[in-house]
Amino acid sequence: MLSSLVSRALAVALVCGSALCKHVELDWNIEYIQANPDGMNQRRVIGVNGKWPLPEVHVDLGDKLVIHAHNKLDEATSLHTHGFFQNGTNHYDGAAGVTECGIAPNSSYTYEMNVQQTGTYWIHSHYKAQFVDGLRTALISHAPREVYQYDDEITLMLEAWYHRPSEDVTDQLLSTSERIRTAPFLPYMLINSAGGRDLSKTKIKMEPGKTYRLRLINVSGTGMVRFGIEDHKMSIIEVDGVDTEIKVVNCMQLSAGQRVSVLVTAKESAAANYVFHADIFTDIQSGVARADLPFQGIVEYSASAPLLNTTANTTLDWEFSQDIDLVPVEKLAAPGVHKWVPLEVHTAVFDDRREHLAFNNRTYEPPTVPSLVTALTTGYQAYYPDVYGFKTNPVIIDPLEDVEVALFNLDVNSHPFHLHGHNFYIMVRGTIDRNPKNRLAAGKYPIRRDTITIPPKSYAIVRFRADNPGVWMFHCHMQFHQEQGLAMVFVEAPFLMNATLTLPAALKQNCDIMGIPTQGNAMGRSGLDLPDEHRGPFPLAGL
Ligand SMILES: *[C@@H]1O[C@H](CO)[C@@H](O)[C@H](O)[C@H]1NC(C)=O
Ligand SMILES: *[C@@H]1O[C@H](CO)[C@@H](O)[C@H](O)[C@H]1NC(C)=O
Ligand SMILES: *[C@@H]1O[C@H](CO)[C@@H](O)[C@H](O)[C@H]1NC(C)=O
Ligand SMILES: *[C@@H]1O[C@H](CO)[C@@H](O)[C@H](O)[C@H]1NC(C)=O
Ligand SMILES: *[C@@H]1O[C@H](CO)[C@@H](O)[C@H](O)[C@H]1NC(C)=O
Ligand SMILES: *[C@@H]1O[C@H](CO)[C@@H](O)[C@H](O)[C@H]1NC(C)=O
Ligand SMILES: *[C@@H]1O[C@H](CO)[C@@H](O)[C@H](O)[C@H]1NC(C)=O
């Protein structure tokens, strides 16, 4: 006991600038493991230190979080701290192809960051669709004094799980054969990495009279979830790391990448147990295989109490679009508009006969040289979008510019869009037909989120201020849609990056091992020397 106090004190003295801060250091061997989380299918997953699922990570505001990641896989990997702004540490944002080359097999990289935000986050691979194979965990950042009081907290990671490796799913979706790419495949629901068809194995244990903070994190690679507990109300108090004024709901939607905290007050007696619903709505494949997959679990007060199963109070009463009505506890006025970035979202068969998704008809493919490396090594040309490559779809932003992004989802599916490095203010939502009845405008202090879900044939207008120099990815968090090209980058304040960012030697070493150049434009050449750049595929006419 004493020695642990001493080592804690030493860590404080040696590592942190501030007297209150501590050093949370994780040493992770990232490796393949066999697991059977739903009792139906043994498969290869990605775990750490011989275990899967990964441990939850808890930090306090002001801490330093250090993750030593050692890649024991047969391909590259990376770790992204989803929702952390990485202010001054863009090179630890973990987006492979954007802020690093990835961690080479048999190599290591240390992610090091100051914990500057509180709330519910998660850590996941940002290399291809790897996190769908299990390389993800909850990251909870505690405030010295939380806004709301509660007796206990429970993290619930909700996830659509596949019996096949993510690579197979990506290959299927990108097949040139329409028959193959539209063949239905249905996920199974996992809660905290367990479940499957029979969520009665998944229990949320509550004690009478207590108030719980449930931290819901949708860690799916696809699909939407609807979550509710029979005959229990939920008070929303946080979305994506932003504390909110209380909004009481029965059953809500949550999309891949999003987090919501709710307070739930337990019943006064342990006379009965209740059913919770965590239904998946899958809509990954355009036009086919849509399904509502009902999944249920048990809120258990007592192992011997009877189960009340009524389906009461679980009708969806809080949809994605209703986040615009939330009021943040910290009241910040929205930025204005200096730069307007319209983005149209399409799904189409492109001229390579594959189905891609695209912003403004450009389907993303990572450049050879990560965009951050290009920004730091091309001098004044870092200001020209072309140096980052056509297919990264870059938008260059000036320091402290107020950016308004208008997202027009012309697709028949909803999409959850995630911005790295920032959260954004949700200003307006509406439908593409501009029906005024469907227009929702924010109040005086708009809610801020880092992931926004836009329903089919709908739009949203969001704003952020460019106060965080770096290259920040913006993409659909249905990870397979990112693989199909629904991504782009914001290159924020390229001329200021040199002053605040230094690429760690280990970043360059990893690039070297994989034969990736560490300077120059998207193709590793100087200036605008990209004449033979492959720009396609392009959408076939008639989108
Ligand atoms: C990684 O190291 C192991 C053990 O030294 C070796 O067997 C394996 O081939 C290496 N893998 C790669 C991709 O270099
Ligand atoms: C999680 O998000 C995915 C993708 O947006 C969605 O299909 C799924 O239903 C969500 N799950 C929950 C529990 O909201
Ligand atoms: C749930 O529904 C039941 C039956 O309609 C009702 O009696 C009860 O008050 C409701 N509970 C909540 C928490 O809304
Ligand atoms: C609740 O009842 C429904 C309908 O009878 C049944 O399908 C479901 O499995 C029950 N849920 C639990 C958790 O027992
Ligand atoms: C995308 O392509 C379609 C069909 O060619 C065209 O109608 C649309 O205007 C294009 N959108 C953008 C933003 O270029
Ligand atoms: C950043 O610094 C490097 C090394 O000093 C230099 O080569 C590069 O041109 C600079 N980039 C910008 C955008 O100023
Ligand atoms: C980043 O840090 C700077 C300097 O402290 C601050 O002005 C800015 O608001 C921060 N931006 C974000 C997104 O945290």
Side-chain angles (χ1 to χ4, degrees), residues 388-509:
Y388 301 96
F390 181 87
K391 298 211 293 191
T392 60
N393 215 343
V395 170
I396 316 290
I397 312 173
D398 283 329
L400 296 181
E401 207 168 25
D402 287 346
V403 182
E404 179 170 279
V405 182
L407 282 153
F408 301 96
N409 180 10
L410 304 176
D411 196 14
V412 294
N413 294 320
S414 60
H415 295 283
F417 295 104
H418 172 50
L419 177 62
H420 291 213
H422 291 276
N423 54 24
F424 41 71
Y425 295 74
I426 302 180
M427 308 302 298
V428 180
R429 284 176 171 276
T431 45
I432 292 289
D433 62 12
R434 304 291 201 277
N435 184 338
K437 276 198 221 132
N438 299 330
R439 187 177 187 276
L440 301 167
K444 187 167 179 205
Y445 300 106
I447 192 67
R448 308 180 294 277
R449 298 196 80 160
D450 59 49
T451 309
I452 182 171
T453 303
I454 310 197
K457 303 287 177 199
S458 298
Y459 71 91
I461 292 175
V462 304
R463 292 184 189 167
F464 66 93
R465 176 160 299 158
D467 58 4
N468 191 8
V471 183
W472 305 112
M473 200 177 201
F474 183 66
H475 62 97
C476 178
H477 217 291
M478 292 214 215
Q479 199 53 34
F480 297 113
H481 289 168
Q482 184 188 319
E483 297 305 300
Q484 287 173 283
L486 195 47
M488 58 166 293
V489 295
F490 286 103
V491 181
E492 184 173 329
F495 294 165
L496 290 185
M497 284 184 210
N498 259 11
T500 50
L501 303 172
T502 312
L503 293 184
L507 190 152
K508 292 185 178 164
Q509 279 158 15

Side-chain angles (χ1 to χ4, degrees), residues 120-138:
T120 310
Y121 302 86
W122 55 305
I123 300 174
H124 65 80
S125 165
H126 215 301
Y127 179 77
K128 296 188 179 167
Q130 248 173 17
F131 81 76
V132 185
D133 295 319
L135 186 49
R136 78 284 177 283
T137 192

Side-chain angles (χ1 to χ4, degrees), residues 78-356:
S78 76
L79 294 174
H80 168 59
T81 314
H82 181 121
F84 272 25
F85 299 151
Q86 298 290 3
N87 201 340
T89 47
N90 189 208
H91 44 282
Y92 294 136
D93 191 43
V98 182
T99 60
E100 61 170 86
C101 294
I103 311 171
N106 279 350
S107 178
S108 300
Y109 192 53
T110 295
Y111 296 89
E112 218 176 315
M113 62 204 77
N114 296 317
V115 177
Q116 295 166 329
Q117 298 155 260
T118 59
T120 310
Y121 302 86
W122 55 305
I123 300 174
H124 65 80
S125 165
H126 215 301
Y127 179 77
K128 296 188 179 167
Q130 248 173 17
F131 81 76
V132 185
D133 295 319
L135 186 49
R136 78 284 177 283
T137 192
L139 168 63
I140 311 298
S141 174
H142 300 276
R145 268 200 67 206
E146 297 287 352
V147 173
Y148 298 99
Q149 300 307 304
Y150 41 89
D151 300 302
D152 211 343
E153 61 172 73
I154 300 170
T155 302
L156 297 173
M157 288 198 306
L158 309 166
E159 172 171 39
W161 182 253
Y162 294 91
H163 286 174
R164 299 186 287 151
S166 62
E167 253 175 285
D168 272 24
V169 178
T170 305
D171 288 349
Q172 177 184 341
L173 292 171
L174 280 169
S175 169
T176 53
S177 151
E178 183 175 355
R179 188 182 52 81
I180 291 176
R181 71 174 171 259
T182 58
F185 57 94
L186 296 178
Y188 301 87
M189 184 74 186
L190 295 187
I191 297 194
N192 292 345
S193 309
R197 282 281 183 234
D198 177 14
L199 279 190
S200 58
K201 286 185 297 186
T202 308
K203 289 181 179 160
I204 303 175
K205 292 195 176 172
M206 290 195 189
E207 289 174 31
K210 281 193 172 179
T211 297
Y212 292 87
R213 177 180 189 159
L214 303 186
R215 297 178 184 267
L216 303 165
I217 312 179
N218 185 339
V219 301
S220 283
T222 64
M224 316 296 158
V225 187
R226 158 182 317 185
F227 183 87
I229 306 174
E230 292 185 4
D231 205 18
H232 287 65
K233 288 208 178 292
M234 303 187 290
S235 300
I236 295 175
I237 56 164
E238 177 217 341
V239 288
D240 297 357
V242 174
D243 294 315
T244 69
E245 290 183 1
I246 284 180
K247 167 77 189 169
V248 180
V249 303
N250 288 314
C251 181
M252 70 172 136
Q253 280 181 319
L254 198 66
S255 198
Q258 294 186 317
R259 291 90 64 208
V260 179
S261 281
V262 295
L263 292 183
V264 176
T265 301
K267 298 282 180 198
E268 286 302 328
S269 92
N273 297 325
Y274 296 81
V275 175
F276 72 82
H277 297 256
D279 302 336
I280 304 186
F281 175 69
T282 64
D283 60 357
I284 175 157
Q285 293 152 296
S286 63
V288 291
R290 285 162 170 274
D292 258 314
L293 303 173
F295 291 107
Q296 306 181 333
I298 295 171
V299 173
E300 187 180 273
Y301 285 94
S302 155
S304 57
L307 181 68
L308 283 191
N309 182 356
T310 62
T311 74
N313 324 102
T314 51
T315 313
L316 184 66
D317 62 352
W318 195 75
E319 297 179 27
F320 295 124
S321 309
Q322 288 173 268
D323 57 4
I324 196 167
D325 294 330
L326 293 174
V327 179
V329 169
E330 190 190 2
K331 310 259 182 299
L332 301 176
V337 184
H338 298 134
K339 189 181 193 82
W340 193 61
V341 182
L343 296 174
E344 279 184 14
V345 176
H346 282 289
T347 304
V349 176
F350 277 50
D351 58 15
D352 61 353
R353 297 191 301 131
R354 299 177 203 279
E355 190 172 79
H356 291 279

Side-chain angles (χ1 to χ4, degrees), residues 375-382 494-496 498:
L376 287 169
T377 59
T378 47
Y380 72 92
Q381 282 162 328
F495 294 165
L496 290 185
N498 259 11

Side-chain angles (χ1 to χ4, degrees), residues 71-75 104-107 513:
N71 183 6
K72 309 287 180 197
L73 310 179
D74 58 15
E75 60 176 3
N106 279 350
S107 178
I513 295 170

